[in-house]
Amino acid sequence: MERLARLLLLLYPSSFRRRFEREWQEIASWHRERLAGARFGRTRLAAVLLMDTLRAAPTAYGDVLVSGHPYLGSVGQDLRHAVRGLRRGPLFAAAAVVSLGVGIGSNTAIFSVANAVLLQPLPYPDADRLAIVWNEFASSAQSRLPLSPVEVAELADEPGLFEDVGGVWATSVTVLDHEDRLIQVPAGRVTPSFFSVLGVEPALGRTFVADAREGRRPMGVVISHELWTGALGGDANILGRTVRVDGATVDVVGVLPEGLKLHFPPDGSIPERLDVYSSLPWDLRSLPPALHYLRVIGRLSPGMDLDRAQRGVDNAAERARATYAELAVTEDRFSIHPLQGDAVRQARPVLLALLGGVGLFLLLASANVASLVLARASVRRKEMAVRSSLGASGGRLAQLLVLESLVIGALGTALGLWLGSAGARVLWSLRPDGIARVDSVALDGTVVGFTLVVSAVAVLIFGLAPMGAVLRTEAAQVLRGADGRTVGSRRTAREWVTVGEVAIGIVLLVGTALLGQTVARLARAELGFETGNVFTFKVALPERSFPTDGERTRLATEIDRRISALPGVTAAGATSHVPLGTWANWADAAPPDGIPDDERDVFFADHRSVTAGYLAALGLELVEGRGFRETDDADSSPVVVVDRTMARRAFPDGPAVGKTLHPSRYVGGRFVPTPAVVVGVVEDVRDVSPARPSGGQVYWPFAQSARWELTWAVRTERADPADLLPDMRREVRAVSPDLAVASERSMDELLAGATDEARFVALLGGVLATLALVVAALGLYSVVTYVAIQRMREFGLRMVLGARREQVLNDVLRDGVKLGALGIAVGLATALALTRFLGSLLYGVSPTDPLTLGGVAVFFLTVVVVASLGPAVRATHVDPVTAMRD
């Protein structure tokens, strides 16, 4: 902010700086203290400083303008005349400034988000050298998968590729806070070098990499600054203190810096903040090679480009396949991407679409101002003719018009910065979880520079509009009262501007209609389960507190029984991973009998562990066989339920019930492939997104695959199932004091979160399209009105000669409809060319959907007729004698 204040001061003459520099700095310091700590304080401070600069400009340049320099003197004279002229026409000035300000403000707000998300580097040292490595199974065409620990070791061994490599796996743990309450917090298991890869130094203590230097096995935990100052009470002696994590006592060896966030892609299932970090062993090769669960990042060696890096990870993958037979079966392949680009991969098309929309809206606003300026120029033809007759050159007339445009542009820019700051706050409040880093939005130097460039382009667009008409004005003809040929040329210019306005409005309205249909279709998408009156909460079953499968099974069964017995509960059950949740699920092959090893990964599927009441609680429809029973316990034969997609894939020639699959289940702390009989088939569930069909599901009874986390789904008779939350917490704690409830949300909230991004884009598109519709309609209205006024003498003469009022009405309507129809045609052609870029944002509707295009055209044509009707009706009420006399 200090640099911005000094930069703005440089805009003043040196004489002003010498006299008022100290006072200016004091004013800037006062504003800074006043706005310190306020939300978007830096943004508001930048806008205030810019407004102060504009207000002080007349005083700052006053001495220069009266210094006697002929050219500067004329500039000052014309500048004062321009300001007085705008004061005499307040409606014109207000309309022009507001139109321009709204256009610039919308661009500023959206660009501030795009700048924070797409352009600003990640908050790590040398962030441009950070890369993320994804796995893919060539045998089953599965991509963007995690790596196993041994593959991380192979990457680290590739010579010259990385300075360091680290991996993380997200889970949750139960922590005893400073008030002896159990809370559940997000946690991570990381490779010891994870923090050194990011370049993160602890605020207190050390990270796990220090253990290597001291020759020790990684021990203890590293915690977030927020967990330390919050749940753990900010104990100054936190280092070396023991805390209870998942029922075990561990030492705190380090505290991370305040505000540290992890910036992984949304499909990486790594939250921005993890509160407790524990370390994997140093010898990663001692871990099972076929367990793929680590999201891996590396710091590229200096000078390493992405093409060479891809060859390096290819070599590492080839060695891994040659060393470990399990990896050769799945045919593991690696791909490497810049971490920043991959982290915003899903947000990029959203933001580019919004930037395109606000860019079109700014063009529309500039065209509207150009139309206003053209109309005003036609009114001022006599003024310009008199100036020309008294000796004013064409350059001097052009200078006056340019200065008027600059004044409008400066005021519009100031308003745009203020609206952009307010708009950024609104966007921050509406931000969807799918768009990362939106909370770092600010009106910084980059955004201000972008705003100034956009403003200059807008001023150029509307400032040049009246030049030709004014400079071609024939003074003698105008002073004699003759319009000459200039009227026709000016009218044609305004008409073409109006055609452009309508075309831009059509493009924005088509895009918004497509996005609106996407949101509507997502809301009606067949999810495979029922969301109404269903509440969910997560409970961790830590292995340290409940080490055996039998203990976790008894806990889950007792919680099921207690929750189901609560008044108003109609069904309750638990799953290891709830649909539309944010945690990554366990996925593995589930081949039927007789499938060779090199083809087993064709039958890749998500694996879930569920309790007996889960299918009923979520309303999953059973299409074949039966669901789980309490008798499907650890002592009975292994059984599974699959979804329709998995049943068709594994058994295309007949029913699935009674057939055998070989999925993996969690037994004794390991995932073990186990033959299991299919006892039921349920409808497909869209568990990742309403827009993404099922890739295949295998459900294990929890007693036969006792995982370490469960999310309960509770169906109730109440309109708001959350009313039962205190009772649910009480019942969970009654089962065991070592359990904590977390992630308490209804299924409707989970569904809303899954469609947040689409609704966010549709909402902003709808606002832009509504504004564009209003601006285009007003532009058409003004042009039709102006043309009708110019033809009043003609209408009066025709009515004297016997023309009916209906004929005059039709003539004026015809003018408006012709302009509107031409704009609609141009707009539809442009929309067909541009909407294909929305393809990745749409669901259930084609970018060239004929019903959408036709509906928008009919709707806009109706708006055109309504906008033209007012001037047409007024033209029919003209008094012929008065019109001919005027």
Side-chain angles (χ1 to χ4, degrees), residues 708-726:
W708 52 88
E709 286 181 349
L710 280 176
T711 298
W712 261 265
V714 183
R715 182 173 295 279
T716 74
E717 298 173 344
R718 303 189 183 187
D720 186 3
D723 292 342
L724 285 173
L725 182 58

Side-chain angles (χ1 to χ4, degrees), residues 654-673:
V657 173
K659 305 291 180 59
T660 301
L661 291 177
H662 294 259
S664 295
R665 62 171 174 161
Y666 191 72
V667 180
R670 296 184 303 116
F671 287 98
V672 181

Side-chain angles (χ1 to χ4, degrees), residues 238-282:
I238 188 66
L239 295 181
R241 171 186 159 184
T242 59
V243 295
R244 287 189 65 81
V245 177
D246 279 350
T249 300
V250 295
D251 294 333
V252 176
V253 300
V255 177
L256 295 171
E258 184 177 4
L260 175 67
K261 293 183 178 181
L262 304 180
H263 296 285
F264 279 78
D267 53 356
S269 300
I270 304 295
E272 281 192 338
R273 196 186 99 194
L274 299 176
D275 284 322
V276 178
Y277 293 85
S278 57
S279 176
L280 294 169
W282 276 104

Side-chain angles (χ1 to χ4, degrees), residues 163 248 284 338 385 535 549 666 700:
E163 282 188 352
L284 297 177
F535 193 79
D549 298 344
Y666 191 72
W700 278 101

Side-chain angles (χ1 to χ4, degrees), residues 437-459:
R437 304 180 68 195
V438 177
D439 54 352
S440 60
V441 171
L443 202 68
D444 57 15
T446 303
V447 177
V448 172
F450 170 82
T451 301
L452 295 178
V453 170
V454 165
S455 304
V457 172
V459 170

